[in-house]
Amino acid sequence: MKIRKYEESDAEEKAEVLRKSVKEIASEDYSKQEIEVWSDVEVEEDPLPEEKVRYVAIEDEKIVGFGEYNREENEVTGLYVHPDYTGNGIGEKLLEKVEKNAKEHGLDILTCLSTVTAKDFYQKHGYKIVEETTHQMEDQNLTVYKMEQEL
């Protein structure tokens, strides 16, 4: 497995990883309506904003996961692994890469809004729950956890 910086040409594969991950993994923790709204993602056509950093994990010559954060908000904004590749340490490697980059840019803390599905993963990697809250997506209010980790 190789991890590299995201490129604009990765947009379609990245969106597909998110869709599949949400539909096949998160569906155990969220309602059908929540999954429909969450997995209905558009393929990004614009370059990433300067403050956003994204990495992709490559295996078998295809994108099998991605991790991203916003440098200005000190927030992990996404970490998804294709369902066929979970349990192989890909999420952990992506999170390590994100955290390393954040440290290199002078950040000393990262936050995230973790899903119910990812909460245990983040806790295993040192993130602490600050509060249980909701995240609104269209007409759905998904249960999430605000979490943070000192770097």
Side-chain angles (χ1 to χ4, degrees):
M1 190 229 356
K2 174 184 162 190
I3 294 180
R4 65 163 169 76
K5 278 250 184 163
Y6 172 85
E7 299 168 359
E8 285 182 57
S9 60
D10 297 331
E12 180 62 52
E13 282 186 90
K14 177 253 179 197
E16 187 59 24
V17 166
L18 189 150
R19 283 186 210 107
K20 284 207 173 275
S21 179
V22 169
K23 287 180 179 179
E24 295 181 32
I25 300 171
S27 61
E28 294 179 20
D29 299 309
Y30 292 93
S31 73
K32 183 178 180 186
Q33 294 82 7
E34 290 169 327
I35 294 299
E36 274 183 38
V37 168
W38 184 4
S39 63
D40 185 24
V41 294
E42 298 288 324
V43 175
E44 295 169 318
E45 295 182 12
D46 298 325
L48 286 179
E50 194 172 303
E51 69 275 4
K52 191 167 256 192
V53 178
R54 182 180 294 151
Y55 294 97
V56 294
I58 309 290
E59 193 152 310
D60 302 327
E61 298 184 30
K62 62 182 176 182
I63 294 173
V64 297
F66 70 92
E68 63 188 32
Y69 83 103
N70 184 309
R71 279 195 287 239
E72 289 181 4
E73 297 177 8
N74 294 36
E75 182 181 12
V76 177
T77 53
L79 196 136
Y80 293 86
V81 176
H82 190 286
D84 294 344
Y85 293 85
T86 59
N88 298 322
I90 293 169
E92 182 175 7
K93 297 284 188 229
L94 285 164
L95 185 59
E96 286 172 4
K97 192 76 168 168
V98 163
E99 291 175 344
K100 182 179 180 205
N101 186 278
K103 279 184 193 178
E104 289 170 355
H105 284 88
L107 302 183
D108 55 6
I109 193 166
L110 275 177
T111 65
C112 70
L113 280 182
S114 172
T115 62
V116 171
T117 310
K119 178 180 62 126
D120 291 344
F121 168 83
Y122 283 111
Q123 286 181 309
K124 178 181 168 188
H125 292 93
Y127 285 73
K128 307 241 184 300
I129 296 173
V130 175
E131 69 175 321
E132 180 177 329
T133 186
T134 57
H135 177 70
Q136 188 166 359
M137 287 186 168
E138 295 181 21
D139 63 343
Q140 300 296 311
N141 288 309
L142 283 69
T143 299
V144 295
Y145 299 90
K146 182 172 182 177
M147 302 181 81
E148 65 182 26
Q149 159 79 321
E150 288 185 31
L151 301 176

